[in-house]
Amino acid sequence: MSISENLQNIKSTLPSHVTLVAVSKTKPVSDLMEAYNAGQRIFGENKVQEMTEKWEQMPKDIEWHMIGHVQSNKVKYMIPYVKLIHGVDSLKLLKEINRLGIRWRKTVNCLLQVHIAEEETKFGLNEKELEEIIHYITTDETATNINVVGLMGMATFTDNQEQIRKEFLHLKSLFDDYQKTNPNFQILSMGMSGDYQLAIECGSNMVRVGSSIFGTR
Ligand SMILES: *Cc1c(COP(=O)(O)O)cnc(C)c1O
């Protein structure tokens, strides 16, 4: 099936409150343009340089989301145009985003990435670090140019649906708790090609889908 057919199929199953991020990492601009011409306007990339190159070449009404791990020294290249940074996983990174936001006179939308999977290898904050970051954004008067709008997480790579469900529900409950005191919390980014339906059942309102749209990488 073509990219536009894949996209239509997925979109037709998504509830209206769920936002689809088309994860286009490693794919050529021609593939992204096929999705664009089928109406897709939100794209997710996991490398700053690749995202910047695509941003330069593509129509300017696209929302670019950074979904991958970001090194602090790369932040400056995407600040002018990035719409949402999903993978904020340290206070150091958030402070650097804030610093560059001030310089560019821009408020940068961010999600905090929480470690919910069993694997050690996946990036993300533990609950103590999450607490520290929330403390920073809610109390530090210098945190002027970041807008933390929710949480992001990745479940363990496994066929065990119960385990994935448990991890997603855990993130959803953290999200609900923090939302009570942080009204800016609106976005819960969880779910990829293999598990986005389950993620939506568990409360996700933003899914990051790559291979089901663009094919395997
Ligand atoms: C690659 C990637 C995705 C999309 O994965 P698919 O399985 O291809 O849908 C989603 N989120 C993150 C953080 C990724 O790196």
Side-chain angles (χ1 to χ4, degrees), residues 107-126:
T107 299
V108 186
N109 298 315
C110 298
L111 302 177
L112 304 176
Q113 182 173 356
V114 184
H115 186 277
I116 54 171
E118 252 185 6
E119 295 119 311
E120 299 270 322
T121 50
K122 289 201 173 140
F123 293 105
L125 302 155
N126 64 35

Side-chain angles (χ1 to χ4, degrees), residues 28-94:
V29 164
S30 56
D31 285 6
L32 278 71
M33 280 309 298
E34 190 175 337
Y36 180 88
N37 289 329
Q40 184 64 23
R41 290 293 180 274
I42 306 178
F43 291 87
E45 291 281 336
N46 71 341
K47 294 207 168 71
V48 174
Q49 188 181 344
E50 184 177 344
M51 188 170 73
T52 303
E53 283 168 11
K54 288 172 174 171
W55 166 71
E56 282 167 356
Q57 294 174 53
M58 293 189 61
K60 294 297 173 278
D61 60 345
I62 291 174
E63 272 189 25
W64 293 97
H65 289 202
M66 172 46 65
I67 62 164
H69 179 70
V70 185
Q71 289 169 286
S72 293
N73 62 347
K74 300 276 173 64
V75 174
K76 57 178 179 283
Y77 302 111
M78 65 175 166
I79 291 294
Y81 67 88
V82 71
K83 180 75 180 188
L84 180 63
I85 303 175
H86 289 233
V88 174
D89 60 0
S90 73
L91 186 53
K92 175 175 172 251
L93 176 61
L94 191 65

Side-chain angles (χ1 to χ4, degrees), residues 23 25 46 67-68 113 152 154 191-194 208-212 215 217:
V23 175
K25 62 191 184 196
N46 71 341
I67 62 164
Q113 182 173 356
M152 180 270 221
M154 287 167 88
M192 331 200 325
S193 291
R208 309 174 310 270
V209 180
S211 42
S212 293
R217 288 179 295 272

Side-chain angles (χ1 to χ4, degrees), residues 145-178:
N145 286 56
I146 37 176
N147 188 22
V148 175
V149 290
L151 301 179
M152 180 270 221
M154 287 167 88
T156 302
F157 187 72
T158 171
D159 288 333
N160 184 339
Q161 299 295 302
E162 277 320 302
Q163 169 151 10
I164 298 173
R165 182 188 300 276
K166 201 180 77 194
E167 292 170 0
F168 282 155
L169 287 174
H170 176 58
L171 188 59
K172 167 71 164 131
S173 78
L174 287 174
F175 178 77
D176 288 345
D177 282 350
Y178 281 112

